[in-house]
Amino acid sequence: MTKWDCISSWKETVLNSQEQAGSSDKKGTILLIDDADTIRQVFRRILERNRYVCSEASNGDEAREWLSTHSCDLVLCDIRMPGHDCMRLAERIRRRSPETAVIIATGVYDVGLAIDSLGQGLAKSMVLSPYG
């Protein structure tokens, strides 16, 4: 799978998730969490072109702080990052805001962990990160 196949798959998963949530003309708010600026910027551009409102966090601690004062419809989170890890963050989101969907972005080597998070009900879906 190429980097662009991953981005296309990611875009389809996120946009379908928001459509299933019953989004009307007003698009939802999405929190992008990844320690790689490039990944956040690419995903933000794609989502904003599709009229979503995006916020960003570069690690789990920033995301946790942002989520303490804001709400969102969807969190797209890299599974491996500094600070508060994705699994703990997803658990916290599930407890405090069960209506917020979490999609985990993972590299090839993290697929088992991502599948575990799906099995535990922490994430709605997972996508393969284009930058592994």
Side-chain angles (χ1 to χ4, degrees), residues 104-117:
I104 294 175
T106 180
V108 175
Y109 300 109
D110 297 327
V111 171
L113 188 55
I115 290 171
D116 287 346
S117 71

Side-chain angles (χ1 to χ4, degrees), residues 9-20:
S9 171
W10 170 89
K11 179 181 174 185
E12 184 177 318
T13 300
V14 171
L15 297 181
N16 285 342
S17 171
Q18 288 296 284
E19 286 172 13
Q20 290 172 7

